[in-house]
Amino acid sequence: MTQRIETLANRPDFLRAARAGRAHAPGFLVQGRKRREGEPADPDLIRVGYTCSKKVGNAVARNRAKRRLREIARAVITTEGRPGWDYVLIGRPELTATLPMDQMRADLSRALQKLHG
């Protein structure tokens, strides 16, 4: 079943995800948390945020890494993510922009299983 995803935009949402669970993958880090009942977001919605620090590279390299993270999120989180959860994908220097997309999709799938596990 394909779920609807929305992009995280507010810093407090990113900080709440940072305090929750995390799963490491070779090309990125995934942070995830189940939203509480009282939060204003739609409980049937999956929210995803993307971030890359300056360690990833200049603006061109960071944007490329985030585009790749968005693409794997569209492919994997829409089918394997859970409604009512927030996820943050964090790019890693050099690896996020260079790993094969098939490997990154498989890594994200494993990371989500670990988070939900």
Side-chain angles (χ1 to χ4, degrees):
M1 183 173 155
T2 303
Q3 294 291 326
R4 218 167 39 107
I5 64 172
E6 182 179 281
T7 303
L8 288 176
N10 298 326
R11 180 173 164 78
D13 293 330
F14 280 87
L15 294 176
R16 280 192 288 270
R19 288 190 298 269
R22 62 183 48 150
H24 299 273
F28 52 89
L29 171 72
V30 181
Q31 299 170 334
R33 74 177 190 98
K34 182 162 178 49
R35 290 191 301 275
R36 293 191 200 118
E37 296 276 333
E39 293 189 44
D42 181 7
D44 296 328
L45 187 66
I46 297 173
R47 300 191 310 172
V48 183
Y50 313 92
T51 185
C52 292
S53 71
K54 286 190 176 184
K55 291 179 185 177
V56 173
N58 62 12
V60 174
R62 290 193 306 272
N63 287 336
R64 179 167 192 245
K66 285 191 277 188
R67 276 195 310 271
R68 290 172 59 90
L69 292 174
R70 280 192 293 273
E71 180 58 32
I72 63 170
R74 266 192 294 274
V76 177
I77 290 181
T78 55
T79 58
E80 297 182 29
R82 292 190 180 171
W85 277 66
D86 290 345
Y87 302 100
V88 175
L89 279 69
I90 302 171
R92 290 205 169 147
E94 299 172 14
L95 294 173
T96 303
T98 59
L99 284 176
M101 290 299 285
D102 292 338
Q103 179 184 345
M104 289 180 66
R105 283 188 203 99
D107 290 343
L108 180 56
S109 182
R110 278 192 297 278
L112 290 178
Q113 289 172 2
K114 191 190 305 185
L115 270 177
H116 298 145

